[in-house]
Amino acid sequence: MGGNSWQIELMRPMGLLALIVLPAVVYYSRRSLVHFARWQRGTSLAVRVLLIVLLGLTLCGLELVAQSDQLFVVFAVDRSRSISQKSQAAADAFVAEAKEHIGNHRAVVLPFAAMPTYEAEANRDATDLGAAIIAAEARLPATCVPRIVLLSDGNQTQDDALAAARAATVPIWTVPLPGRPENEAYVSAVRAPTQVRRGESFDVEVTVEIIAESTGTNQGRVELLAGDEPVGVEETTLVPGENRVRFRYKAIDRPDVTLTAVLHDFKDTLPQNNRLSAVVLVSQRPRVLLVESRAALAEPLATALQQEFIDVEVRPPEKLPGDLSQLQPYDVVILSNVPATSLPAERMAILRRYVEETGGGLIVIGGDRAFTAGNYRHTELENVLPVLCEASGKTEKPGLAMVLVIDCSVSMQGESIALAREATRRAVEMLGPADQVAILAFTEETRWVSELSHCTDAEKQQLLARIETIDAVGRTNMYPAIEKAYLALNEAYAPLKHMIVLTDGVSHPGDFERLARDVAESGITISTVAIGGEAAAILLERIAEIGGGHFYFCNDAAAVPRIFATEAASAARVGIVERPFSPSTVDPTEIFSAIDLSRLPTLLGYVETQPKPTARVVLASESGDPLLAWWRVGLGTSVAFTSDIQDRWATTWLNWPDFGPFWARLVRHAMQGGPSNDFVIQTHRRGQRTRVVLDAIDRQGRFLNEAKASIRVEPPDQKPFTSTFTQVAPGRYAVELSTPHPGTYRLATTFQAAQRPEQTERIALSVGYAEELRVRETNDALLESIATATGGRFDPAPEQVFAEPGASARRVMPLWPYLAALATLLFLLDVTLKRVDLAR
C-alpha cells in the first residue's frame, strides 16, 4: 500500500463570505471598551477576528483529504448444508492462503447460509446469496477500497442473488465451491394427480437422484406409503443421475391421501432427503348416466362400473334430460344401442353442448340400432362423434324382403297420412338393389299398393309414384293385413325378412299373439309403430316383442319418417357386420396400460363407421373399421365403441375378467374433459415461500380481468389465514405465501369475475425437506454472472485477492468540529475580555 498524500478541501466555499464582516468588527472595536487598558482592547479585537475566521472556516466544512489504496476484503463463505465438509475445508484453505498475502490490507470473514451470521450453529437449511451480498457490503468501511469475495456453490434457495449484485456498488469476486462429491441418494420428486375421483386408479412416479463418486450403481429399496400404509416396494439398482420408479394406486375410501416415497439401504450421506410426499385430493365417485331402452340389457355394464367405484344411473331414452343443467351433474353420458329415432333433434343438440361447452364425456356404444344402423347420419349426434356413420362398402350385405303395412283408416286423414307417405318413401330409399319391398295399405279391407319387387332404380321410381295413391278412408282392421304380409314374406326368397306395421287406432279383434308367433317362427321379424294416444299401444308392443322387432310410440307423427328410415336400415343390416373377429390394437394408449390389448376377447359383430380425420382410433376390426375411437370436441371427450355390450355380439366380453376395468378406464378417460372452472392454478415453491399463479380464461378464449380472487391457506398445525391475489398480467393473478413449515398446506381459491358466479378450487401443497438438501452441481453460470455484473472476477487464485486494487478510496478527516470547539472557547474568552477589566 502506498503512502497517503493529504490535501485541504473546503466542502462549502461560500462559507468564506462570513469574513466580510471583519472590517466592520475592526472599525467598531476602536470605539468600544475605551475605559479598558490598550493591551486588553487589542487582545479582545484579535480574539474576535480569530473567532469570526474560525466560524467562517467551520461553515466552509474544512477537511483534510488523502487518497488511500488500502483494501478491505469481506470473505462471504457459504456454510449451508449443500456444502460438504470437503468443500468447507477448501473454502477455509482459500481464505487462509489469501490472507498470507494480506500485507497492510484488512479483511473479515462472514459465514452465511439462510442468513449471514457469526454463530456456529446457524440455520444451514437454506442459501441466501442475496442477503449475504447485502450484509457483506454493509460491513465495508468508506475509507478503504472495497472488495467482496463470495465463496459458494451458487445454488441459492432464497432471494435473488443477481438482482442484489446489480444493486451493489462493490466489485464481487466469486469462488465456485464444488458440490457434494460423496455418495448420495435422495427423492427429488413425487408426481401424482392433484385431484382424483374416488375409486380411480392412477400412476405415482417417484424420481430418485443418485450422486456417486464413481460410475458404479447404487442398490436399495424404494417404498411408497399411503399415509402410514404401504402401497408397494421396489427393490432396484439405480444409476448416477435421475431415476424414475412408478407405482399404481387406487383411491378408495379417503377424502385425500398423502403419498410418501421413502428410500432404504442406498449409499447415502443425508438421511433428511430420503423422504418426500405428494398430496392427492379425492372427490366423490364419478356419476354416469347410462341410457338403454331395456334396463336388463344395461345391467352387466352398470354392475361392472359400480364395482369399479363409479355410480351409474340407468334411464330409457325418453327419460334423457332435456335441459343442459340437468345433465351437468353427470360426468359421462353413455348411449347403449340407442337409435336416432329415440333422440329428438333438441336432445341431440343438448348432448352436443354438454360435451363441447361443459366438458362432459359422451360414450356411444353400438348395436343393431346404433351408428350407421341407427340412422345417425347427418344428425347432431354424428357431429359430436369421432366417426362418420356410414358404411364402408367393404362387406357384402344379405338381401332383405320387407313389407310396410300402413293404416289408411279415416283417423289418419290430414297430416298423419301425409307423414305416413313420407315415412314409406324414406324407408324405400334406404334399401338397395338386392332388397325387396312391398307396401300394404289397410282399413276394413287390405290392398297392395305395391307387391314385393326388387329396389332397382327403375322399380323405386315406380314405387315412389304409387306411394302417392295412399289415402285415408274407412275403419281399422289390422289382423288380415298382418296375415297377408306374413304370407307374402313367407313365400319370398331372401335371407332377411321384416315387417313394419303403422297404425293410429284400435283394430277389430283377432288372435294377434298366435299370428305373431307364427310370423316369428317363420324367421320374419315385426316392428310396430303406434301414433297418438288412441292407438292400441299395449297390443302393438306385445306383437313387436313376440315378433322379435321393436316397438315405437309416437305422440308426434312427425317422428314417423325417421322411425321408418331407422327400421329399414336396421332390418337391411345397413352397416352391420356379424361375424366373429379379434379386435386389433391400432394406437396403444397409457389409459389401458394395465390391460393386455393384444389378448382381447373375440367379438361377434360391430357397426361399420368411418373415422373422422382428427379422431384417434385405438382398436379396429380385422377389416380396419373403427371399433374404439375418441377425440376431443370443444371442452369434452367423445368416444365411439361400435360393437355392443350385450349377449348378441359381446358374450365373451361379459365374462372377461377385465371387462369392468376396461370400461372404468374408458369412462374415467372420457370424463377428463375441460376444466370445471374458468381458471387454472399453478404453484411454484422457492425456499420458504410459494408463489400461487391463477390464469383465468373463459371458454371463448378471452382473458378474465379485474376479477376478485382470494386464497385461504390452512398451514400444518398453524392458524389459517387468507390472502388476496393481485392481477399481474392479462388474465393472470398471483400471490406470495409463506410456507416455512414442513407438512400439508390446504389451499382453497375463490374466484369471481364480473357477471359470473363465484367459483372455487381446492388443492393441497406438500412441503417436504428443505430445498438446500437437493444435491446439485455448482451453479457456475450464476457465480460468473454476479462477477461480470459487478466488475469482479470469477474463480480467482488466492494470491490475487489482495493484489493491487487499481483504485483508491478517499480518506477524509473533517476539521470543522475542532474549529467549532476552538471557536466556542474563543467566544467565552471574548465575552470575558468585554466584561472584566483585567488591569484592575
Side-chain angles (χ1 to χ4, degrees):
M1 181 180 71
N4 298 328
S5 177
W6 292 98
Q7 296 177 349
I8 295 177
E9 289 186 3
L10 298 177
M11 299 299 294
R12 296 174 295 277
M14 295 298 292
L16 293 177
L17 293 176
L19 300 181
I20 64 176
V21 303
L22 286 178
V25 171
V26 172
Y27 176 79
Y28 285 107
S29 65
R30 296 177 61 186
R31 290 170 172 78
S32 63
L33 305 177
V34 295
H35 55 281
F36 288 165
R38 180 182 293 273
W39 67 267
Q40 185 172 347
R41 286 184 293 173
T43 303
S44 176
L45 177 60
V47 169
R48 193 168 299 174
V49 170
L50 183 57
L51 174 61
I52 292 173
V53 171
L54 290 177
L55 288 175
L57 294 176
T58 300
L59 292 174
C60 290
L62 187 66
E63 295 178 341
L64 283 177
V65 179
Q67 296 296 321
S68 172
D69 58 359
Q70 184 183 31
L71 276 168
F72 192 102
V73 178
V74 177
F75 291 96
V77 183
D78 191 346
R79 297 296 191 199
S80 63
R81 208 174 294 277
S82 64
I83 305 299
S84 65
Q85 294 285 348
K86 187 175 181 179
S87 295
Q88 290 184 34
D92 294 340
F94 182 95
V95 174
E97 186 176 349
K99 284 186 175 180
E100 293 177 0
H101 305 276
I102 193 169
N104 293 325
H105 300 293
R106 299 164 63 189
V108 67
V109 177
L110 175 66
F112 74 91
M115 59 181 297
T117 177
Y118 289 100
E119 299 177 7
E121 296 299 325
N123 178 15
R124 300 177 58 206
D125 289 338
T127 300
D128 194 339
L129 297 179
I133 291 172
I134 294 171
E137 187 176 19
R139 282 164 170 74
L140 293 167
T143 58
C144 297
V145 178
R147 181 171 294 167
I148 296 175
V149 179
L150 179 66
L151 297 93
S152 173
D153 61 0
N155 291 315
Q156 58 182 345
T157 59
Q158 294 182 181
D159 209 346
D160 188 343
L162 190 55
R166 286 170 176 160
T169 58
V170 179
I172 302 175
W173 294 24
T174 55
V175 179
L177 298 178
R180 287 183 171 270
E182 302 98 333
N183 290 314
E184 175 64 24
Y186 69 98
V187 184
S188 62
V190 178
R191 295 183 177 88
T194 57
Q195 290 185 342
V196 298
R197 294 298 185 101
R198 188 161 299 176
E200 181 177 352
S201 296
F202 57 90
D203 289 328
V204 181
E205 185 180 81
V206 179
T207 303
V208 182
E209 298 274 359
I210 298 294
I211 309 296
E213 293 180 329
S214 63
T215 57
T217 58
N218 201 339
Q219 295 181 341
R221 294 180 294 124
V222 182
E223 182 180 22
L224 183 68
L225 304 174
D228 297 326
E229 300 176 3
V231 174
V233 178
E234 288 284 340
E235 300 223 9
T236 183
T237 299
L238 304 180
V239 298
E242 190 177 87
N243 301 263
R244 288 182 171 85
V245 181
R246 181 167 293 182
F247 296 88
R248 189 77 179 170
Y249 181 74
K250 177 181 282 190
I252 299 179
D253 55 357
R254 304 184 184 188
D256 54 46
V257 59
T258 300
L259 298 169
T260 305
V262 185
L263 303 185
H264 301 282
D265 304 331
F266 289 98
K267 298 176 183 177
D268 197 25
T269 56
L270 294 174
Q272 301 96 321
N273 57 16
N274 290 351
R275 175 185 290 258
L276 193 63
S277 300
V279 179
V280 180
L281 299 183
V282 183
S283 59
Q284 72 275 12
R285 291 159 59 123
R287 292 188 64 192
V288 170
L289 177 60
L290 176 53
V291 181
E292 168 62 68
S293 300
R294 289 180 284 181
L297 297 177
E299 185 176 347
L301 180 60
T303 302
L305 292 178
Q306 287 166 352
Q307 290 174 349
E308 295 292 325
F309 305 95
I310 296 174
D311 291 333
V312 181
E313 180 181 346
V314 180
R315 292 190 186 184
E318 57 270 18
K319 297 293 185 180
L320 180 69
D323 186 81
L324 184 60
S325 62
Q326 296 174 346
L327 275 180
Q328 287 181 315
Y330 300 99
D331 298 292
V332 176
V333 174
I334 301 177
L335 304 180
S336 175
N337 199 22
V338 176
T341 54
S342 298
L343 297 175
E346 60 272 12
R347 298 288 174 88
M348 293 187 186
I350 289 172
L351 276 176
R352 181 175 182 176
R353 291 182 56 203
Y354 166 73
V355 178
E356 293 181 344
E357 297 178 14
T358 71
L362 175 66
I363 300 177
V364 178
I365 300 173
D368 64 335
R369 296 198 296 164
F371 296 111
T372 307
N375 201 22
Y376 287 6
R377 188 68 175 140
H378 303 306
T379 64
E380 289 281 3
L381 186 56
E382 185 192 44
N383 290 338
V384 81
L385 288 174
V387 293
L388 293 172
C389 299
E390 60 181 13
S392 63
K394 299 177 184 177
T395 306
E396 185 178 348
K397 304 301 177 189
L400 167 69
M402 182 171 65
V403 177
L404 305 177
V405 183
I406 309 298
D407 183 355
C408 295
S409 61
V410 69
S411 59
M412 290 283 291
Q413 285 182 342
E415 183 184 12
S416 294
I417 197 65
L419 289 170
R421 288 194 293 264
E422 173 62 22
T424 305
R425 283 192 293 268
R426 292 274 295 273
V428 171
E429 289 170 353
M430 295 296 298
L431 303 179
D435 301 317
Q436 304 171 59
V437 66
I439 302 171
L440 182 64
F442 72 91
T443 55
E444 292 176 320
E445 299 178 354
T446 61
R447 72 179 180 92
W448 289 104
V449 177
S450 174
E451 296 186 3
L452 275 172
S453 60
H454 285 277
C455 293
T456 62
D457 291 340
E459 290 289 341
K460 271 188 180 181
Q461 293 301 319
Q462 295 179 16
L463 184 57
L464 293 174
R466 293 193 191 105
I467 290 173
E468 298 302 321
T469 65
I470 299 175
D471 204 357
V473 291
R475 301 175 63 184
T476 304
N477 190 4
M478 186 170 59
Y479 187 92
I482 296 177
E483 185 178 36
K484 197 168 189 176
Y486 158 55
L487 295 174
L489 287 172
N490 199 35
E491 294 177 359
Y493 178 76
L496 304 174
K497 299 178 182 181
H498 186 59
M499 181 191 313
I500 304 177
V501 180
L502 168 68
T503 182
D504 72 340
V506 178
S507 171
H508 290 308
D511 193 353
F512 288 98
E513 290 195 11
R514 183 193 59 78
L515 178 58
R517 288 191 184 92
D518 291 342
V519 172
E521 289 172 0
S522 300
I524 303 169
T525 55
I526 307 175
S527 291
T528 57
V529 181
I531 302 178
E534 295 183 2
I538 297 176
L539 173 61
L540 293 173
E541 185 174 11
R542 180 61 177 159
I543 291 173
E545 181 181 351
I546 296 173
H550 308 113
F551 166 72
Y552 301 90
F553 178 78
C554 300
N555 279 323
D556 182 7
V560 173
R562 190 154 44 94
I563 291 174
F564 268 49
T566 301
E567 269 298 301
S570 177
R573 301 293 192 265
V574 175
I576 293 177
V577 179
E578 286 192 295
R579 62 170 179 265
F581 72 96
S582 297
S584 60
T585 303
V586 177
D587 188 0
T589 171
E590 285 293 319
I591 295 169
F592 302 115
S593 57
I595 299 174
D596 187 359
L597 297 183
S598 65
R599 303 182 64 181
L600 291 172
T602 300
L603 289 166
L604 302 180
Y606 67 96
V607 184
E608 284 185 307
T609 58
Q610 303 298 310
K612 291 181 180 177
T614 58
R616 181 176 183 180
V617 178
V618 179
L619 300 176
S621 70
E622 293 175 340
S623 301
D625 295 322
L627 174 63
L628 175 63
W630 61 63
W631 72 343
R632 290 297 301 273
V633 50
L635 297 176
T637 299
S638 172
V639 181
F641 183 80
T642 59
S643 187
D644 67 9
I645 52 166
Q646 300 165 8
D647 57 6
R648 177 169 180 169
W649 294 339
T651 304
T652 55
W653 277 56
L654 297 178
N655 299 318
W656 178 36
D658 282 331
F659 179 75
F662 177 89
W663 283 103
R665 286 170 176 263
L666 193 57
V667 166
R668 295 184 188 279
H669 169 67
M671 62 187 277
Q672 295 172 357
S676 58
N677 291 320
D678 291 327
F679 61 88
V680 177
I681 297 175
Q682 296 180 354
T683 58
H684 308 276
R685 187 167 183 266
R686 181 170 180 178
Q688 296 184 344
R689 300 193 66 79
T690 298
R691 178 178 173 85
V692 182
V693 178
L694 184 155
D695 289 305
I697 302 176
D698 68 12
R699 297 180 182 182
Q700 286 72 43
R702 298 171 298 193
F703 294 119
L704 296 178
N705 298 317
E706 300 180 2
K708 296 179 180 179
S710 62
I711 186 167
R712 188 175 189 272
V713 183
E714 297 180 17
D717 302 325
Q718 300 288 323
K719 186 177 180 180
F721 63 91
T722 301
S723 294
T724 303
F725 283 89
T726 301
Q727 186 166 359
V728 296
R732 171 163 288 192
Y733 303 79
V735 64
E736 289 276 348
L737 304 177
S738 175
T739 53
H741 305 291
T744 300
Y745 290 76
R746 302 184 184 279
L747 312 177
T749 301
T750 302
F751 179 83
Q752 185 171 22
Q755 300 179 348
R756 289 175 177 267
E758 184 176 272
Q759 301 176 10
T760 59
E761 181 79 17
R762 296 184 63 87
I763 62 173
L765 174 69
S766 179
V767 176
Y769 57 79
E771 284 290 310
E772 189 64 28
L773 298 176
R774 293 181 181 271
V775 182
R776 290 167 286 184
E777 295 181 356
T778 302
N779 192 345
D780 290 336
L782 176 61
L783 296 176
E784 190 169 0
S785 297
I786 291 173
T788 302
T790 59
R793 291 187 183 179
F794 172 70
D795 198 15
E799 60 272 14
Q800 294 176 314
V801 172
F802 292 102
E804 291 297 325
S808 61
R810 284 166 50 93
R811 180 169 294 179
V812 179
M813 185 173 73
L815 297 179
W816 65 266
Y818 304 103
L819 297 178
L822 181 58
T824 301
L825 294 176
L826 290 177
F827 175 75
L828 296 175
L829 178 59
D830 180 55
V831 172
T832 300
L833 291 174
K834 289 169 50 178
R835 301 297 183 188
V836 180
D837 187 355
L838 297 179
R840 296 181 181 181

